[in-house]
Amino acid sequence: MPLHALQAVYAHMSDALMTDAILVTGFVLIGLGFYFLFEPERRPSLRAALGHVFPRDLFLHRTSRVDILHFFLAIGLWIPVVSALITAFLTMNVQSVLTGWFGARAPLVEAGWAIGIAQFAVIFVSRDFGTYVGHILLHKVPYLWSIHRTHHSAEVLTFFTSARAHPLEYLHAQSFIAVFGALGGGVFLYLTGTSLAAAPVAILIAVGIFFETFGLAQHSHLPISFGKLDYVILAPVLHQIHHSAEPRHRDKNLGGQLSVFDWLFGTIYVPQGREAYRWGLNDRELGENNPHVRLRDFYFEPAAHAWRLLTRRG
Ligand SMILES: [Zn+2]
Ligand SMILES: [Zn+2]
């Protein structure tokens, strides 16, 4: 491999590592803040707080090994940045296709910061709707469930679990996010006769990084809730329910960053206080019967699961 290619890979990896360092630091701050502000049995020491945010037994659990390995494998994907740039590129394409079909439109408003914020908001909400729709399909289409089961077989949640997704699921989820974001954004740009400014894309990247940090908190054991804001944002306490092995929680809280679509379409489940439940796939596939404890099973068991579905039907 030529030297400059190696340098490019190194630069990319160090940027990706930097992004991940920001994410993990953000998670530590959120965790410590939660402990000192809201944990009823807190002790006023940093050691106790760190022990609460990083409980050894969760990180040493047998399903955590896959999460940790996969977290480091996934670092190179550098998702928040790449994902925002792909959406921006496709958004401009959708706008130019619409312009080709229906003719150019005069600008409705003068370019300015307000239109930049509006562009960001429309693309952000459209992308999150894409996450929601893609996630429903992962649960309801049997062959997609074969893939998504790997995310749900975690029996403990640590921030590493946020990266516990099969490579095909990354592809599926990011496609829905990009296509929905581009359709929402492209139609909005066309109707307002404005072009995509650099600021909304930069905000999208920044907010993407913020919400990746938030995704780490969603996959922790810390029952963080934002009170009334839970009507808009899918707080960690709501996503933790999504990982429950209990039938009453099945297919609930499917949103990504926003909870509004769960409220709108009736898939919300708000826990009553500190509700007791187990994390994992279901009653049968816990503990010794967990199908995804080893990394190679995590990657290849979905194919076997899909094959069993196919042959049972055929
Ligand atoms: Zn799910
Ligand atoms: Zn999850």
Side-chain angles (χ1 to χ4, degrees):
M1 194 187 277
L3 187 63
H4 67 267
L6 273 179
Q7 281 169 337
V9 170
Y10 174 76
H12 167 74
M13 285 307 289
S14 59
D15 283 349
L17 279 170
M18 180 62 91
T19 311
D20 272 49
I22 295 172
L23 300 189
V24 175
T25 310
F27 169 70
V28 174
L29 293 176
I30 292 173
L32 292 179
F34 175 78
Y35 178 81
F36 285 116
L37 289 173
F38 300 112
E39 193 50 46
E41 283 155 26
R42 64 185 169 272
R43 278 178 288 140
S45 91
L46 188 60
R47 211 182 151 157
L50 285 172
H52 185 80
V53 177
F54 299 104
R56 268 170 66 90
D57 53 331
L58 295 196
F59 285 89
L60 295 176
H61 190 276
R62 57 208 299 265
T63 68
S64 269
R65 277 181 303 187
V66 165
D67 302 15
I68 293 168
L69 282 167
H70 207 246
F71 191 84
F72 289 105
L73 289 176
I75 279 177
L77 293 176
W78 205 21
I79 285 174
V81 180
V82 175
S83 168
L85 293 177
I86 292 174
T87 303
F89 173 74
L90 292 178
T91 298
M92 291 186 288
N93 274 290
V94 169
Q95 183 186 23
S96 64
V97 166
L98 291 174
T99 307
W101 284 350
F102 304 112
R105 285 173 70 92
L108 267 188
V109 279
E110 295 246 343
W113 63 267
I115 192 73
I117 299 284
Q119 288 174 352
F120 157 75
V122 169
I123 296 174
F124 177 78
V125 174
S126 307
R127 277 164 55 93
D128 215 62
F129 187 48
T131 304
Y132 182 81
V133 173
H135 198 175
I136 285 189
L137 295 177
L138 285 169
H139 276 248
K140 295 296 184 189
V141 177
Y143 298 107
L144 293 177
W145 175 244
S146 300
I147 296 165
H148 186 52
R149 275 163 43 89
T150 56
H151 185 63
H152 282 269
S153 56
E155 291 176 27
V156 295
L157 297 186
T158 72
F159 70 85
F160 289 118
T161 318
S162 60
R164 185 190 175 96
H166 195 275
L168 292 174
E169 183 183 327
Y170 274 116
L171 203 64
H172 169 94
Q174 290 300 324
S175 306
F176 271 81
I177 289 171
V179 168
F180 275 68
L183 287 176
V187 168
F188 181 76
L189 291 183
Y190 178 72
L191 292 178
T192 53
T194 53
S195 39
L196 186 62
V201 181
I203 302 173
L204 208 59
I205 292 173
V207 170
I209 291 175
F210 170 78
F211 271 110
E212 281 287 312
T213 309
F214 181 65
L216 266 56
Q218 282 178 326
H219 290 92
S220 72
H221 66 297
L222 302 170
I224 299 174
S225 154
F226 303 122
K228 289 269 186 288
L229 270 181
D230 290 357
Y231 283 102
V232 183
I233 294 174
L234 199 89
V237 76
L238 297 177
H239 189 73
Q240 287 151 5
I241 285 283
H242 183 69
H243 279 268
S244 167
E246 316 289 338
R248 69 180 184 280
H249 297 143
R250 190 145 300 158
D251 305 337
K252 299 293 183 195
N253 302 352
L254 293 150
Q257 296 155 353
L258 301 175
S259 60
V260 282
F261 304 113
D262 283 300
W263 287 101
L264 270 176
F265 300 115
T267 50
I268 196 79
Y269 184 101
V270 180
Q272 304 304 311
R274 291 204 174 175
E275 205 176 303
Y277 61 90
R278 295 163 307 165
W279 286 313
L281 269 176
N282 51 51
D283 277 350
R284 285 171 293 107
E285 294 176 293
L286 287 174
E288 286 303 309
N289 298 321
N290 189 312
H292 307 130
V293 174
R294 290 175 306 180
L295 196 64
R296 71 164 181 267
D297 294 332
F298 178 84
Y299 284 126
F300 298 114
E301 189 275 345
H305 186 267
W307 179 252
R308 284 201 300 278
L309 286 179
L310 190 73
T311 47
R312 210 179 299 155
R313 278 181 193 181

